[in-house]
Amino acid sequence: LILLFNYIVATSQNINPIQADRPDQTETPAIVPKGMFQLEAGFSYQKEDADHSSAALPSALWKYGVNDNFELRLITELENEHSEVSNYYGLRPILIGCKIKVCEENGMVPKTSFIGHMSIPNAASSEYKADFYAPEFRFTMQHTLSDKLSLGYNLGSEWDGFTAEPTFIYTLTTGYAINEKAGAYLEVFGFAPQKDTANHNIDGGVTYLINNNFMLDLSSGFGLTKNAPDYYAALGFSFRM
């Protein structure tokens, strides 16, 4: 671990600061640099309602930069769900996918990338296995408003692996650079099932760069509508090499 940390510190001097898809729900259009491996991991606790809670212990996004326009992605999540009548712990279906650069920022045109994943129904613990392969996708866009302020937003859809009905996704976030090391954000996001009422949420958090290749984060949020989760809190880290 000491050797790995020293390597990360040594190689961070000649490269732009890491950009991660966590901790907010809005994923960045940035691509992992060619030939680099990036891990984004975190622990979270979410209170759904008075009788139901869940925790990610942990969730992890594994990324590899193939070239300047394309990265490979793998998502794994160990989850514990607790309610008055049951308690489950295991691996949720693994997702494999990619991020593809669409265009760079140019005036009113935002920096844009496309993200697509496919969940593998049987690559999971027995309690979490799904019936079908389930895709999810989103377009992630970002505007630079000033040297310190940016605006990001995502639009997409996901499927749960049990029905053919999609859930539509939206996110909108503002990112602010407090200084060269620390950043903060405030975000609204929501999920709109095809045959159910949409839920809307708000969250915020902070990030801190240990060096250009290693970042810590802390975030929390709560539901704005009655059918949204009561609240959640998360902490995590991202590094690349």
PDB file of all heavy atoms in Angstrom, residues 20 23 28 53 60 75 80 89 96 98 119 127 154 194 205 226:
ATOM      1  N   ALA A  20     -13.944  12.524 -11.332  1.00  0.00           N
ATOM      2  CA  ALA A  20     -14.657  11.298 -10.990  1.00  0.00           C
ATOM      3  C   ALA A  20     -16.155  11.460 -11.202  1.00  0.00           C
ATOM      4  O   ALA A  20     -16.682  12.570 -11.228  1.00  0.00           O
ATOM      5  CB  ALA A  20     -14.376  10.911  -9.538  1.00  0.00           C
ATOM      6  N   PRO A  23     -18.954  12.297  -6.046  1.00  0.00           N
ATOM      7  CA  PRO A  23     -20.012  11.671  -5.265  1.00  0.00           C
ATOM      8  C   PRO A  23     -21.427  12.026  -5.703  1.00  0.00           C
ATOM      9  O   PRO A  23     -22.380  11.473  -5.176  1.00  0.00           O
ATOM     10  CB  PRO A  23     -19.739  12.232  -3.867  1.00  0.00           C
ATOM     11  CG  PRO A  23     -19.219  13.622  -4.133  1.00  0.00           C
ATOM     12  CD  PRO A  23     -18.391  13.490  -5.380  1.00  0.00           C
ATOM     13  N   THR A  28     -19.667  12.790 -14.896  1.00  0.00           N
ATOM     14  CA  THR A  28     -18.879  13.735 -15.676  1.00  0.00           C
ATOM     15  C   THR A  28     -18.693  13.247 -17.112  1.00  0.00           C
ATOM     16  O   THR A  28     -18.583  12.040 -17.342  1.00  0.00           O
ATOM     17  CB  THR A  28     -17.507  13.955 -15.021  1.00  0.00           C
ATOM     18  OG1 THR A  28     -16.701  14.779 -15.872  1.00  0.00           O
ATOM     19  CG2 THR A  28     -16.775  12.627 -14.814  1.00  0.00           C
ATOM     20  N   SER A  53     -34.208   0.324   5.167  1.00  0.00           N
ATOM     21  CA  SER A  53     -32.954   1.037   4.946  1.00  0.00           C
ATOM     22  C   SER A  53     -32.009   0.158   4.140  1.00  0.00           C
ATOM     23  O   SER A  53     -32.196  -1.058   4.034  1.00  0.00           O
ATOM     24  CB  SER A  53     -32.294   1.423   6.276  1.00  0.00           C
ATOM     25  OG  SER A  53     -31.943   0.258   7.002  1.00  0.00           O
ATOM     26  N   ALA A  60     -18.453   0.232  -6.133  1.00  0.00           N
ATOM     27  CA  ALA A  60     -17.189   0.540  -6.799  1.00  0.00           C
ATOM     28  C   ALA A  60     -17.388   0.653  -8.309  1.00  0.00           C
ATOM     29  O   ALA A  60     -18.066  -0.180  -8.916  1.00  0.00           O
ATOM     30  CB  ALA A  60     -16.139  -0.521  -6.492  1.00  0.00           C
ATOM     31  N   ILE A  75     -19.084  -1.942 -12.871  1.00  0.00           N
ATOM     32  CA  ILE A  75     -19.676  -1.497 -11.613  1.00  0.00           C
ATOM     33  C   ILE A  75     -19.998  -2.713 -10.751  1.00  0.00           C
ATOM     34  O   ILE A  75     -20.670  -3.650 -11.199  1.00  0.00           O
ATOM     35  CB  ILE A  75     -20.959  -0.673 -11.843  1.00  0.00           C
ATOM     36  CG1 ILE A  75     -20.642   0.589 -12.645  1.00  0.00           C
ATOM     37  CG2 ILE A  75     -21.602  -0.294 -10.506  1.00  0.00           C
ATOM     38  CD1 ILE A  75     -21.873   1.406 -13.016  1.00  0.00           C
ATOM     39  N   ASN A  80     -26.430  -4.158   1.653  1.00  0.00           N
ATOM     40  CA  ASN A  80     -27.186  -4.722   2.775  1.00  0.00           C
ATOM     41  C   ASN A  80     -28.525  -4.012   2.864  1.00  0.00           C
ATOM     42  O   ASN A  80     -28.569  -2.787   2.990  1.00  0.00           O
ATOM     43  CB  ASN A  80     -26.399  -4.556   4.079  1.00  0.00           C
ATOM     44  CG  ASN A  80     -27.169  -5.038   5.290  1.00  0.00           C
ATOM     45  OD1 ASN A  80     -27.275  -4.328   6.286  1.00  0.00           O
ATOM     46  ND2 ASN A  80     -27.719  -6.233   5.236  1.00  0.00           N
ATOM     47  N   TYR A  89     -27.914  -9.385   2.429  1.00  0.00           N
ATOM     48  CA  TYR A  89     -26.597  -8.842   2.153  1.00  0.00           C
ATOM     49  C   TYR A  89     -25.992  -9.635   1.009  1.00  0.00           C
ATOM     50  O   TYR A  89     -25.990 -10.870   1.030  1.00  0.00           O
ATOM     51  CB  TYR A  89     -25.676  -8.946   3.370  1.00  0.00           C
ATOM     52  CG  TYR A  89     -24.279  -8.450   3.075  1.00  0.00           C
ATOM     53  CD1 TYR A  89     -24.012  -7.087   2.964  1.00  0.00           C
ATOM     54  CD2 TYR A  89     -23.234  -9.344   2.884  1.00  0.00           C
ATOM     55  CE1 TYR A  89     -22.732  -6.641   2.680  1.00  0.00           C
ATOM     56  CE2 TYR A  89     -21.955  -8.901   2.604  1.00  0.00           C
ATOM     57  CZ  TYR A  89     -21.712  -7.541   2.498  1.00  0.00           C
ATOM     58  OH  TYR A  89     -20.451  -7.087   2.200  1.00  0.00           O
ATOM     59  N   ILE A  96     -21.464  -3.925 -16.833  1.00  0.00           N
ATOM     60  CA  ILE A  96     -20.315  -3.650 -17.690  1.00  0.00           C
ATOM     61  C   ILE A  96     -20.731  -2.619 -18.728  1.00  0.00           C
ATOM     62  O   ILE A  96     -21.899  -2.570 -19.136  1.00  0.00           O
ATOM     63  CB  ILE A  96     -19.788  -4.922 -18.384  1.00  0.00           C
ATOM     64  CG1 ILE A  96     -20.897  -5.587 -19.218  1.00  0.00           C
ATOM     65  CG2 ILE A  96     -19.227  -5.899 -17.372  1.00  0.00           C
ATOM     66  CD1 ILE A  96     -20.397  -6.756 -20.046  1.00  0.00           C
ATOM     67  N   CYS A  98     -19.321   1.295 -21.024  1.00  0.00           N
ATOM     68  CA  CYS A  98     -18.305   2.191 -21.560  1.00  0.00           C
ATOM     69  C   CYS A  98     -18.795   3.622 -21.511  1.00  0.00           C
ATOM     70  O   CYS A  98     -19.989   3.894 -21.325  1.00  0.00           O
ATOM     71  CB  CYS A  98     -17.949   1.815 -22.989  1.00  0.00           C
ATOM     72  SG  CYS A  98     -19.318   2.012 -24.161  1.00  0.00           S
ATOM     73  N   SER A 119     -26.479  -4.696 -17.219  1.00  0.00           N
ATOM     74  CA  SER A 119     -26.341  -5.518 -16.014  1.00  0.00           C
ATOM     75  C   SER A 119     -26.484  -6.988 -16.373  1.00  0.00           C
ATOM     76  O   SER A 119     -27.289  -7.357 -17.230  1.00  0.00           O
ATOM     77  CB  SER A 119     -27.383  -5.124 -14.968  1.00  0.00           C
ATOM     78  OG  SER A 119     -28.676  -5.530 -15.343  1.00  0.00           O
ATOM     79  N   GLU A 127     -30.073 -13.472  -3.704  1.00  0.00           N
ATOM     80  CA  GLU A 127     -31.153 -12.563  -3.326  1.00  0.00           C
ATOM     81  C   GLU A 127     -31.339 -11.427  -4.318  1.00  0.00           C
ATOM     82  O   GLU A 127     -32.389 -10.793  -4.349  1.00  0.00           O
ATOM     83  CB  GLU A 127     -30.890 -11.971  -1.939  1.00  0.00           C
ATOM     84  CG  GLU A 127     -30.840 -12.977  -0.812  1.00  0.00           C
ATOM     85  CD  GLU A 127     -29.455 -13.579  -0.640  1.00  0.00           C
ATOM     86  OE1 GLU A 127     -28.585 -13.300  -1.503  1.00  0.00           O
ATOM     87  OE2 GLU A 127     -29.246 -14.325   0.334  1.00  0.00           O
ATOM     88  N   ASN A 154     -27.398  15.434 -16.608  1.00  0.00           N
ATOM     89  CA  ASN A 154     -27.522  14.132 -17.267  1.00  0.00           C
ATOM     90  C   ASN A 154     -28.970  13.879 -17.622  1.00  0.00           C
ATOM     91  O   ASN A 154     -29.886  14.277 -16.899  1.00  0.00           O
ATOM     92  CB  ASN A 154     -27.072  12.987 -16.344  1.00  0.00           C
ATOM     93  CG  ASN A 154     -25.576  12.964 -16.060  1.00  0.00           C
ATOM     94  OD1 ASN A 154     -25.117  12.114 -15.316  1.00  0.00           O
ATOM     95  ND2 ASN A 154     -24.812  13.895 -16.612  1.00  0.00           N
ATOM     96  N   GLN A 194     -41.978   4.667 -15.872  1.00  0.00           N
ATOM     97  CA  GLN A 194     -42.947   4.853 -16.952  1.00  0.00           C
ATOM     98  C   GLN A 194     -44.384   4.816 -16.438  1.00  0.00           C
ATOM     99  O   GLN A 194     -45.238   5.565 -16.912  1.00  0.00           O
ATOM    100  CB  GLN A 194     -42.750   3.770 -18.011  1.00  0.00           C
ATOM    101  CG  GLN A 194     -43.636   3.947 -19.242  1.00  0.00           C
ATOM    102  CD  GLN A 194     -43.381   2.876 -20.289  1.00  0.00           C
ATOM    103  OE1 GLN A 194     -43.009   1.760 -19.968  1.00  0.00           O
ATOM    104  NE2 GLN A 194     -43.575   3.208 -21.543  1.00  0.00           N
ATOM    105  N   GLY A 205     -22.400  18.096  -1.454  1.00  0.00           N
ATOM    106  CA  GLY A 205     -21.215  17.459  -0.895  1.00  0.00           C
ATOM    107  C   GLY A 205     -19.956  18.243  -1.170  1.00  0.00           C
ATOM    108  O   GLY A 205     -19.984  19.315  -1.781  1.00  0.00           O
ATOM    109  N   LYS A 226     -42.802  12.787  -1.472  1.00  0.00           N
ATOM    110  CA  LYS A 226     -43.193  11.792  -0.474  1.00  0.00           C
ATOM    111  C   LYS A 226     -42.689  10.393  -0.817  1.00  0.00           C
ATOM    112  O   LYS A 226     -42.359   9.603   0.066  1.00  0.00           O
ATOM    113  CB  LYS A 226     -44.711  11.794  -0.324  1.00  0.00           C
ATOM    114  CG  LYS A 226     -45.223  10.925   0.805  1.00  0.00           C
ATOM    115  CD  LYS A 226     -46.727  11.050   0.966  1.00  0.00           C
ATOM    116  CE  LYS A 226     -47.213  10.184   2.131  1.00  0.00           C
ATOM    117  NZ  LYS A 226     -48.692  10.306   2.313  1.00  0.00           N
TER     118      LYS A 226
END
